[in-house]
Amino acid sequence: MPKTLYQLLILVAISFRAFGQEQITISGFVREKGSLELLPGVNVYLENSTIGTVTNTYGFYSLTIPKSDSVTVSFSFVGYERQEVLVQNAVSQQIDIALRTANQLEEVIISGRRQDEKVSESVQMSQIEIPISQIKKIPAFFGEKDVIRVLQLMPGVQKGTEGQTGLYVRGGGPDQNLIILDDAVVYNASHLFGFFSVFNSDALKSVELTKGGFPARYGGRLSSVVEMNMKEGSKEKLHGEGGIGLISSRLTLEGPLAKKKSSFLISARRTYIDVLAQPLIAQQQTGFDSKVKPGYFFYDLNAKVNYDFGAKNKLYVSGYFGRDKFNIREKSSNSQNRSGLNWGNATATLRWNHLINQKLFVNTSLIYSHFNFNIFANDKQFDKGVLTNEFSLKYNSLIRDYSLKTDFDYYLNAKHSVKFGAQLTSHRFVPSALALEGDFSDDDIDLQAKPINTIEAGAYIEDTWQPFTALKVNGGFRLSFFQTKTRLYVRPEPRISAALKLAKDFSVKASFAKMNQYVHLLSNTGLGLPTDLWVPTTDKVAPQQSSQVAFGFAKDLEKPGLALTLEGYYKKMDNIISYKEGSSFISLNGDNANELNWEDNVTTGKGWSYGAEFMVQKKTGKLSGWVGYTLSWTKWKFPELNFGKTFYPRYDRRNDLSIVGIYELSKRITLSATWVYGTGNALTIPISKFTTYGNHFVPNYWNVTTGQTTTEYGEKNSYRAEPYHRMDVAIQFHKKKKRHERTWEFGLYNAYSRRNPFFYNINNKQDPTDPNKRVNVLTRYSLFPVLPSFSYNFKF
């Protein structure tokens, strides 16, 4: 028998022998001292051993260890003082811990994991946790700290286009990301047409991105999971923080309702672009007969209340409410016009934590999620004050979910940590609703889309198993269901991740995951705008599917505090959805049908994405940050698009590089900068324009010569835009006062004013070499030059 195999059998035998020893279980909750906020991700381990665990999302841990006269259990978490508890005459018991914040400790910059855990030790790959404190130090667009923009700086995550917050993860589109806030799905995560996300970082406790190797507890999307949890609120005393910026202000308050038992959190943000712009707009229109009055604002509100009923039961109620409103009013002596676009999200979550016993923890959630948008227009024409004609348009679309979800954490022993659970969701989709009225038409048209009601469900089980010290495995299985009007889809989803430690600080990792997606986003732009249309899987439109494998290495370098990761992946996608050529979400034909049928306007195809991701990060010290690089290819093939030929989607990006640096110059001054570079987007652009002329007879006129301009396009996305690159810089000035702390921040977005391409068009211009000749010229249009920003932030 080979020596290596013999040693492996001995290790397995030792592991099983340990199961026969008398064991005890130590469990409890870990909180932050002072606020009593429950802390997820705290490292709990037995001193001088490899036995350990991590607190779950609700701060609960359970550690099963061999019985002995006394044991020492350690608790450690980044940004907090390490705490050790000596348990003598050890018996099974509950030990609750409150960790004190350690202001003098160096902060981990990239990873929100515990300070003692190294990237080479974690079984999970393709996952990044981002501490909120670091998000607030990175330069931001208009000074607005944005979770989604920070995620765009990570390897494997591409930016859609200039200024947009859309996420394109490993070749997937913006609809293939499962974005969760306190268990509730957020369908559209953008404000200001995608320039800001809806997430106020002041209200968030944790942010985690999973790009591959998905644990079985996640389902419903192909490309990534972005899981965010809101703060619970301090149970000791009132706290607050906020800020005033160029375009918006925010305020967060948290404090006890019943001391040490109940607390609240409320966080609000509102922009005042409309107020600032009104005087400038009015000045520009002085002397004109027609007056145009545009208006735009957005707001969002986060709220949370919790109550601690004792050691075994806790209740949480949380919600998010946000809305964007954009409208234009125009008035002249003979017309009045009003139009606009509004959209918004609302979520609500009721969660009950129950500790069944020292090894079994359950969380049950009731969830509500709602997204809708509407377009409206009204045009009135007058003749000498008398209304002569009127036209109006209304367009509405929405998606509404009710969900019931339960998750169990079962800590079987030191080598097995099991999770299992199920979720049931009732979806209602209204893909479109359109009404047209006007004197111009003989018959008013009233076209109403019928609501589509569907049921989605899933059940899962997963186990994190450590058969011996050098190997960790997370294996799981999810079974997903989707019920349409007449058809039931049942799809199995196997998952597995493994990490093998080859040396003290070096490990090899691999993963496989199969995913299914039953909701789809129809888009003409590929930008993930609020006007894009959410639709369900139907009898005619099958669910999207993906299979992804990944392989990588992780290395920790102790002395300089560096961590390196290198991953390669391959992902295959089936039944991805797109509009047919020339189709859009508004399809109106007054001569037939009483219903808009979006299914007739779509086509399905397949896609492939593969590449490699490299990341080196410095976690501690005055200078911290990371460098992330992605080399990737994404290809699509649709029988009804591009003549059936394979093409690159818009967000295919061969090279993507991000460099982030944060330098603590002193306790009062923080410098930060980011630089990004990316291969240009793949675009379909006009390759030529020509005009044809002809004569035709018009009543009461002689023959009239008219021209018709025709634009010719090449193959789909056959043109590659110029490379995108940009630098952002910021400086923060901190000062602690008697009762509060304040921070002034000044920044520059696009510091060297790079004119990055936003879109291209062909313009007919005079030939510079021949004044008598005109030529077609491809013209690049840019969006943002250098943009300064400043903000005032406070905390008490």
Side-chain angles (χ1 to χ4, degrees):
M1 179 181 296
K3 183 179 179 181
T4 304
L5 180 59
Y6 178 73
Q7 292 173 336
L8 179 62
L9 291 174
I10 291 176
L11 287 171
V12 173
I14 292 173
S15 298
F16 279 101
R17 182 183 175 187
F19 295 160
Q21 297 178 359
E22 187 176 356
Q23 297 180 323
I24 63 170
T25 299
I26 298 173
S27 64
F29 292 89
V30 181
R31 295 177 171 84
E32 180 184 66
K33 190 173 182 62
S35 70
L36 299 183
E37 182 105 12
L38 291 167
L39 297 176
V42 176
N43 185 28
V44 184
Y45 60 95
L46 190 65
E47 283 288 345
N48 302 317
S49 79
T50 60
I51 299 174
T53 188
V54 180
T55 57
N56 68 7
T57 303
Y58 303 97
F60 176 75
Y61 75 94
S62 178
L63 194 63
T64 299
I65 58 178
K67 185 174 182 180
S68 61
D69 292 337
S70 64
V71 294
T72 300
V73 181
S74 293
F75 301 82
S76 65
F77 189 52
V78 58
Y80 293 81
E81 294 180 359
R82 178 177 169 182
Q83 188 168 334
E84 296 180 352
V85 176
L86 178 63
V87 184
Q88 295 182 331
N89 300 319
V91 294
S92 294
Q93 58 187 287
Q94 180 168 332
I95 300 176
D96 294 335
I97 296 295
L99 295 183
R100 187 188 304 273
T101 57
N103 295 327
Q104 303 304 315
L105 289 181
E106 299 283 4
E107 293 189 13
V108 172
I109 296 301
I110 306 301
S111 173
R113 297 184 177 89
R114 55 194 183 275
Q115 193 170 15
D116 290 347
E117 183 184 38
K118 301 172 182 178
V119 295
S120 60
E121 293 179 350
S122 172
V123 66
Q124 183 64 50
M125 65 186 304
S126 307
Q127 188 176 80
I128 301 170
E129 298 174 69
I130 306 174
I132 302 301
S133 60
Q134 300 308 316
I135 293 174
K136 294 181 178 181
K137 293 179 181 178
I138 295 173
F141 181 60
F142 274 117
E144 293 290 313
K145 304 303 181 182
D146 199 308
V147 172
I148 302 298
R149 287 186 176 278
V150 175
L151 293 178
Q152 289 178 340
L153 298 173
M154 301 299 169
V157 183
Q158 277 79 42
K159 295 157 281 295
T161 189
E162 173 75 283
Q164 296 288 318
T165 57
L167 293 179
Y168 300 82
V169 181
R170 290 185 172 177
D175 64 320
Q176 294 178 359
N177 306 302
L178 180 64
I179 300 178
I180 307 171
L181 180 63
D182 274 6
D183 278 347
V185 175
V186 178
Y187 281 96
N188 187 281
S190 69
H191 281 313
L192 193 60
F193 300 97
F195 292 115
F196 301 108
S197 80
V198 300
F199 304 110
N200 184 352
S201 59
D202 290 347
L204 297 178
K205 175 168 68 175
S206 63
V207 179
E208 182 180 87
L209 168 69
T210 304
K211 303 176 291 183
F214 304 96
R217 58 187 178 272
Y218 298 122
R221 298 296 188 274
L222 300 190
S223 293
S224 79
V225 178
V226 180
E227 185 173 16
M228 289 172 279
N229 289 289
M230 291 168 53
K231 295 177 182 176
E232 298 166 15
S234 173
K235 290 185 174 67
E236 290 288 343
K237 62 181 180 178
L238 182 68
H239 293 282
E241 62 180 308
I244 301 171
L246 276 177
I247 63 170
S248 72
S249 292
R250 65 190 192 280
L251 178 64
T252 300
L253 295 174
E254 57 177 308
L257 294 174
K259 198 166 186 179
K260 297 187 178 182
K261 285 287 185 182
S262 177
S263 63
F264 76 93
L265 170 87
I266 186 165
S267 181
R269 179 173 58 164
R270 210 273 195 189
T271 186
Y272 29 73
I273 297 175
D274 50 343
V275 178
L276 296 176
Q278 285 300 330
L280 299 175
I281 295 171
Q283 184 179 6
Q284 291 294 322
Q285 299 183 69
T286 303
F288 288 88
D289 174 60
S290 178
K291 303 294 183 183
V292 180
K293 185 179 180 182
Y296 172 80
F297 71 90
F298 70 76
Y299 70 86
D300 45 47
L301 176 69
N302 296 76
K304 192 168 186 176
V305 176
N306 70 88
Y307 193 88
D308 190 340
F309 290 92
K312 291 186 178 254
N313 294 285
K314 295 174 178 60
L315 192 67
Y316 303 86
V317 180
S318 61
Y320 166 82
F321 313 92
R323 185 155 294 276
D324 286 65
K325 290 192 174 184
F326 171 74
N327 62 81
I328 296 178
R329 297 172 183 264
E330 184 177 3
K331 186 176 182 180
S332 66
S333 58
N334 58 5
S335 67
Q336 290 182 9
N337 303 298
R338 186 172 65 91
S339 61
L341 170 64
N342 303 324
W343 71 94
N345 295 277
T347 71
T349 307
L350 173 65
R351 293 194 281 189
W352 171 46
N353 292 173
H354 178 59
L355 185 60
I356 298 174
N357 56 48
Q358 280 192 296
K359 292 189 175 185
L360 188 58
F361 177 94
V362 59
N363 175 73
T364 301
S365 301
L366 290 172
I367 308 161
Y368 169 79
S369 181
H370 182 272
F371 169 71
N372 77 296
F373 78 88
N374 67 82
I375 302 170
F376 65 90
N378 183 265
D379 183 7
K380 295 181 179 180
Q381 301 295 322
F382 299 91
D383 184 10
K384 298 179 180 179
V386 179
L387 179 64
T388 59
N389 199 6
E390 181 177 0
F391 163 81
S392 65
L393 176 148
K394 294 181 181 178
Y395 181 92
N396 298 281
S397 181
L398 67 87
I399 177 172
R400 184 271 299 148
D401 292 348
Y402 293 113
S403 300
L404 173 63
K405 179 173 179 281
T406 185
D407 300 283
F408 293 84
D409 290 332
Y410 181 42
Y411 300 87
L412 179 62
N413 52 51
K415 295 185 179 296
H416 289 274
S417 177
V418 181
K419 294 179 183 287
F420 59 95
Q423 181 170 356
L424 178 68
T425 300
S426 171
H427 296 289
R428 166 165 282 203
F429 298 83
V430 181
S432 58
L434 184 64
L436 289 170
E437 298 176 353
D439 295 336
F440 64 93
S441 175
D442 294 332
D443 299 311
D444 291 344
I445 300 172
D446 189 2
L447 210 56
Q448 180 75 33
K450 293 179 181 178
I452 304 172
N453 297 307
T454 61
I455 298 294
E456 184 176 357
Y460 73 91
I461 184 169
E462 64 177 86
D463 180 21
T464 300
W465 176 42
Q466 187 172 9
F468 46 88
T469 303
L471 179 65
K472 288 183 182 179
V473 179
N474 178 277
F477 181 80
R478 183 181 185 90
L479 193 63
S480 62
F481 308 83
F482 194 83
Q483 178 67 60
T484 68
K485 189 175 182 180
T486 60
R487 182 172 179 179
L488 175 64
Y489 292 92
V490 181
R491 298 292 171 87
E493 301 177 10
R495 319 281 177 81
I496 189 168
S497 296
L500 178 64
K501 206 164 190 178
L502 300 180
K504 179 182 178 182
D505 296 313
F506 179 73
S507 63
V508 178
K509 301 183 181 184
S511 67
F512 170 80
K514 194 172 186 68
M515 306 287 281
N516 287 278
Q517 180 168 329
Y518 298 99
V519 297
H520 319 284
L521 188 66
L522 293 176
S523 173
N524 278 332
T525 64
L527 299 180
L529 296 177
T531 52
D532 295 337
L533 194 66
W534 285 98
V535 294
T537 290
T538 66
D539 299 343
K540 295 170 63 176
V541 179
Q544 301 178 61
Q545 290 183 304
S546 73
S547 298
Q548 183 179 169
V549 293
F551 181 81
F553 304 91
K555 172 68 176 175
D556 293 283
L557 304 175
E558 292 287 350
K559 293 283 184 181
L562 293 174
L564 293 87
T565 57
L566 176 63
E567 293 186 14
Y569 68 91
Y570 178 86
K571 179 165 66 174
K572 186 177 184 298
M573 297 169 282
D574 292 305
N575 298 322
I576 54 178
I577 191 170
S578 178
Y579 279 118
K580 294 178 181 177
E581 298 284 6
S583 298
S584 69
F585 66 92
I586 294 183
S587 178
L588 177 62
N589 185 345
D591 296 330
N592 63 29
N594 294 315
E595 185 178 341
L596 293 174
N597 190 356
W598 59 268
E599 293 173 281
D600 294 335
N601 290 332
V602 302
T603 182
T604 57
K606 56 186 177 180
W608 306 266
S609 184
Y610 50 92
E613 300 165 4
F614 170 79
M615 189 172 189
V616 56
Q617 49 185 307
K618 189 174 187 300
K619 299 180 179 180
T620 59
K622 282 192 170 185
L623 176 63
S624 56
W626 70 90
V627 177
Y629 172 71
T630 306
L631 173 67
S632 64
W633 289 261
T634 301
K635 299 177 182 179
W636 281 2
K637 187 174 184 179
F638 289 77
E640 298 183 71
L641 298 180
N642 200 42
F643 306 102
K645 299 178 182 178
T646 301
F647 64 93
Y648 295 111
R650 177 189 179 95
Y651 45 83
D652 169 71
R653 184 164 291 168
R654 198 70 59 248
N655 299 283
D656 193 88
L657 174 67
S658 298
I659 301 174
V660 178
I662 301 171
Y663 184 65
E664 306 288 346
L665 188 62
S666 68
K667 291 183 178 180
R668 297 187 59 181
I669 301 176
T670 301
L671 306 175
S672 59
T674 63
W675 186 75
V676 296
Y677 174 89
T679 302
N681 289 335
L683 304 175
T684 303
I685 65 167
I687 59 176
S688 67
K689 283 185 178 181
F690 56 92
T691 304
T692 58
Y693 294 91
N695 296 332
H696 66 279
F697 179 75
V698 178
N700 301 321
Y701 292 91
W702 294 103
N703 287 342
V704 176
T705 301
T706 60
Q708 180 178 356
T709 299
T710 302
T711 303
E712 181 184 357
Y713 294 86
E715 290 191 4
K716 192 172 183 66
N717 294 346
S718 59
Y719 179 80
R720 185 67 66 170
E722 297 166 77
Y724 180 98
H725 54 88
R726 188 192 78 242
M727 174 177 281
D728 306 331
V729 296
I731 183 170
Q732 294 180 342
F733 298 95
H734 313 278
K735 188 171 184 180
K736 288 187 177 181
K737 298 195 174 184
K738 187 175 182 180
R739 289 189 172 88
H740 74 281
E741 179 181 347
R742 65 103 174 117
T743 300
W744 281 101
E745 180 173 351
F746 301 89
L748 291 176
Y749 176 88
N750 195 7
Y752 53 82
S753 202
R754 159 72 174 174
R755 305 299 289 182
N756 285 301
F758 187 65
F759 70 92
Y760 292 83
N761 195 18
I762 286 184
N763 293 325
N764 190 260
K765 297 183 177 180
Q766 182 178 324
D767 188 342
T769 63
D770 186 352
N772 298 317
K773 184 180 178 182
R774 299 186 68 84
V775 293
N776 290 326
V777 179
L778 182 66
T779 306
R780 176 194 63 191
Y781 293 86
S782 300
L783 197 59
F784 296 118
V786 57
L787 293 176
S789 66
F790 73 89
S791 63
Y792 172 78
N793 304 291
F794 58 89
K795 188 175 183 179
F796 61 88

